[in-house]
């Protein structure tokens, strides 16, 4: 019989990375969520080659002192919970204490961090989970994490990655969702040296939408609002002039977390399509607030899903909120409301705008046909 042995820490971290770190976009999710938890109001993400060769996330948040920076890269090291009951009242996005060690185990990893009250910061470099160097270092307030050569030591995982364009698109889509979930944070995504996304961080969801998708989308939005004792739903939904053939324009935020939810998707579909033609999916951003005790946030390794105590209440509230937003007012006929399609391009997925040189399309994030135009006006 083979003998049983305890796995060493690096092997354990590499295995855990399989759950948390699926692809470059999941690295970025973890790092940006850490920046949000550290109270940053400016977060900049830079990627090269779809994040496979280079990822950098820089924030202006709380930073860490030297002893905490050393702890942060250890497994199950977290400042966010002390016991499992804390999950019921948690305000942070993270709580597992797994992300940094998991990412460090499968990359060349560099953490640079400084607290506002310290003169010197700390840099820690690791290769495949092994510490190469820990030093004091002059640096900006906040935290920068660089992740290079993701999966260089896990070739099996590397094989599953898609093309760098596809990986970049996934990152782009996710940063958009995070940016919409936190309109009070200024986000910037730089993809292969070009600015792909920026948001102003002025607290206005509408302004964030406009910056990301352009005025063509923002001008066609209807506000959503439903407030009851148990649940509060706010956000925007597009008129039928702006629809897509996939759900990639739909962002659901529950208690500050971007999540996927079939129930919410279904409630929107049912309400929207009860009044409007059945083809396509509207642009939607829903901000849902519920009592923390009525959800379980710890049901998915990447926290992409949440379990609800009362799914039917959620469904009903969203269904009615969408219906209320979309249904024509009393003195308006539905035919007035269902405005004719003026811009066919908005109905086609992944259009390449005429103004952009074709050589940019390689780097152009999937959902930013409009944002790119918008950004080039604002930032170049
Ligand atoms: P978790 O987020 O679940 O606590 P992580 O492995 O993602 O676990 O991070 C470990 C700890 O490192 C966090 O609890 C936090 O204290 C610290 N940390 C990570 N990223 C940052 C950051 N950008 N700024 C400040 N502290 C950070
Ligand atoms: Mg975290």
């Amino acid at each position: 019989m083979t003998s049983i042995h305890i796995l060493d820490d690096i092997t354990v971290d590499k295995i855990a990375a399989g759950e948390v770190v699926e692809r470059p976009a999941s690295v970025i999710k973890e790092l940006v969520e850490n920046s949000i938890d550290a109270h940053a109001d400016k977060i900049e993400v830079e990627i090269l080659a779809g994040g496979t060769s280079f990822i950098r996330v820089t924030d202006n948040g709380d930073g860490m002192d030297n002893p905490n920076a050393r702890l942060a890269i250890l497994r199950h090291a977290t400042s966010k919970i002390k016991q499992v009951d804390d999950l019921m009242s948690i305000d942070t996005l993270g709580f597992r204490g797994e992300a940094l060690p998991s990412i460090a185990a499968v990359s060349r990893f560099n953490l640079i961090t400084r607290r506002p009250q310290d003169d010197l910061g700390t840099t820690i470099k690791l290769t495949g989970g092994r510490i190469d160097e820990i030093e004091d270092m002059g640096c900006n307030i906040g935290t920068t994490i660089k992740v290079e050569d993701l999966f260089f030591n896990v070739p099996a995982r590397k094989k599953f990655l898609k093309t760098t364009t596809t990986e970049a698109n996934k990152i782009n889509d996710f940063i958009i969702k995070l940016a919409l979930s936190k309109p009070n944070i200024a986000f910037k995504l730089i993809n292969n040296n070009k600015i792909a996304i920026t948001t102003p961080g002025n607290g206005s969801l509408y302004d964030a939408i406009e910056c990301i998708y352009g005025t063509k989308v923002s001008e066609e939005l209807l506000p959503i609002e439903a407030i009851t004792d148990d649940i509060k739903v706010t956000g925007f939904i597009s008129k039928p002039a702006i629809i897509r053939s996939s759900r990639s324009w739909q962002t659901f935020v529950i208690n500050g977390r971007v999540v996927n939810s079939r129930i919410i998707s279904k409630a929107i579909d049912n309400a929207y399509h009860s009044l409007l033609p059945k083809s396509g999916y509207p642009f939607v951003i829903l901000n849902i607030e519920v009592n923390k005790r009525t959800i379980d946030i710890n049901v998915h390794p990447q926290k992409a899903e949440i379990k609800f105590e009362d799914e039917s209440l959620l469904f009903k509230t969203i269904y009615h909120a969408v219906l209320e937003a979309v249904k024509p007012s009393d003195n308006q006929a539905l035919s007035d409301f269902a405005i004719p399609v003026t811009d066919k391009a908005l109905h086609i997925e992944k259009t390449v705008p005429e103004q952009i040189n074709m050589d940019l399309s390689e780097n152009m994030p999937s959902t930013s046909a409009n944002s790119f135009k918008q950004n080039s006006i604002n930032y170049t």
Side-chain angles (χ1 to χ4, degrees):
M1 203 195 228
T2 50
S3 61
I4 296 174
H5 56 272
I6 306 271
L7 297 171
D8 67 76
D9 287 350
I10 289 182
T11 309
V12 171
D13 286 338
K14 263 178 145 177
I15 293 169
E19 286 201 325
V20 183
V21 189
E22 200 185 340
R23 55 180 358 110
S26 32
V27 172
I28 288 187
K29 175 185 192 299
E30 294 296 335
L31 297 182
V32 173
E33 288 188 347
N34 280 343
S35 298
I36 295 171
D37 285 345
H39 311 103
D41 62 9
K42 254 187 174 166
I43 301 173
E44 187 173 294
V45 178
E46 181 174 0
I47 55 169
L48 295 175
T52 57
S53 68
F54 179 85
I55 291 172
R56 172 179 64 82
V57 176
T58 297
D59 69 53
N60 66 347
D62 300 335
M64 285 173 268
D65 62 6
N66 181 301
N68 273 296
R70 289 166 186 260
L71 284 174
I73 53 166
L74 300 180
R75 190 157 177 70
H76 304 310
T78 178
S79 57
K80 299 171 191 174
I81 58 167
K82 291 214 167 91
Q83 55 204 23
V84 85
D85 284 351
D86 295 345
L87 284 181
M88 300 293 279
S89 56
I90 194 164
D91 282 320
T92 54
L93 298 172
F95 52 79
R96 290 171 185 257
E98 287 185 319
L100 297 190
S102 301
I103 297 165
V106 294
S107 68
R108 300 181 213 284
F109 183 93
N110 183 195
L111 164 71
I112 302 165
T113 186
R114 176 161 81 90
R115 303 186 306 170
Q117 61 268 47
D118 297 334
D119 293 332
L120 270 183
T122 306
T123 175
I124 303 184
K125 288 187 180 161
L126 297 93
T127 305
R130 270 175 235 279
I131 298 176
D132 295 328
E133 179 182 316
I134 304 182
E135 276 178 354
D136 290 339
M137 184 182 175
C139 61
N140 289 333
I141 291 170
T143 302
T144 291
I145 290 179
K146 290 188 227 167
V147 175
E148 290 174 87
D149 298 331
L150 186 64
F151 302 137
F152 79 94
N153 56 350
V154 214
R157 175 75 27 159
K158 205 169 177 171
K159 270 210 311 245
F160 280 100
L161 295 180
K162 303 274 191 310
T163 64
T164 56
T165 310
T166 305
E167 296 297 339
N169 286 342
K170 286 183 190 292
I171 291 168
N172 187 80
D173 290 353
F174 199 74
I175 299 270
I176 287 178
K177 286 176 188 280
L178 280 172
L180 293 176
S181 78
K182 304 283 170 196
N184 54 335
I185 299 178
F187 283 87
K188 185 186 269 186
L189 171 65
I190 306 165
N191 178 12
N192 290 345
N193 301 312
K194 294 186 192 80
I195 294 174
I197 300 170
T198 56
T199 60
N202 64 0
S204 157
L205 174 59
Y206 188 87
D207 290 354
I209 297 172
E210 191 164 274
C211 254
I212 293 167
Y213 294 106
T215 45
K216 266 194 182 151
V217 170
S218 64
E219 280 169 0
E220 300 293 342
L221 297 181
L222 301 162
I224 293 180
E225 189 177 87
I227 299 170
T228 72
D229 289 347
D230 304 303
I231 183 164
K232 179 176 168 199
V233 182
T234 55
F236 292 96
I237 188 161
S238 62
K239 297 176 193 167
I242 307 279
I243 53 169
R244 275 214 148 186
S245 56
S246 78
R247 292 188 203 275
S248 62
W249 267 6
Q250 304 196 338
T251 303
F252 311 141
V253 184
I254 296 177
N255 291 5
R257 272 167 214 284
V258 174
V259 293
N260 303 322
S261 163
R262 285 184 44 209
I263 298 162
I264 299 176
S265 301
K266 188 114 190 76
I268 294 169
D269 284 355
N270 286 13
Y272 199 81
H273 292 144
S274 70
L275 289 178
L276 298 160
K278 269 209 154 54
S279 62
Y281 300 95
F283 168 93
V284 187
I285 155 95
L286 283 187
N287 234 311
I288 300 160
E289 281 167 49
V290 293
N291 185 326
K292 288 172 198 163
R293 297 193 174 271
T294 64
I295 53 174
D296 186 351
I297 53 173
N298 191 25
V299 293
H300 188 275
Q302 294 162 21
K303 308 185 208 85
E305 283 166 24
I306 278 182
K307 205 164 151 40
F308 296 92
E309 200 176 83
D310 189 346
E311 293 190 336
S312 75
L313 174 73
L314 179 77
F315 182 94
K316 271 191 256 166
T317 311
I318 290 171
Y319 178 86
H320 289 294
V322 170
L323 206 61
E324 199 56 40
V326 175
K327 86 168 187 227
S329 56
D330 293 345
N331 53 5
Q332 192 185 22
L334 188 62
S335 55
D336 293 344
F337 173 76
I339 47 174
V341 178
T342 48
D343 188 346
K344 285 242 162 38
L346 288 165
H347 285 248
I348 301 165
E349 206 164 355
K350 303 195 179 177
T351 51
V352 179
E354 334 64 85
Q355 285 94 330
I356 295 174
N357 291 335
M358 286 311 285
D359 64 325
L360 290 183
S361 62
E362 230 282 289
N363 307 321
M364 201 179 59
S366 65
T367 50
S368 66
N370 293 299
S371 69
F372 203 95
K373 260 192 254 173
Q374 185 79 0
N375 287 331
S376 44
I377 296 161
N378 290 345
Y379 302 101
T380 55

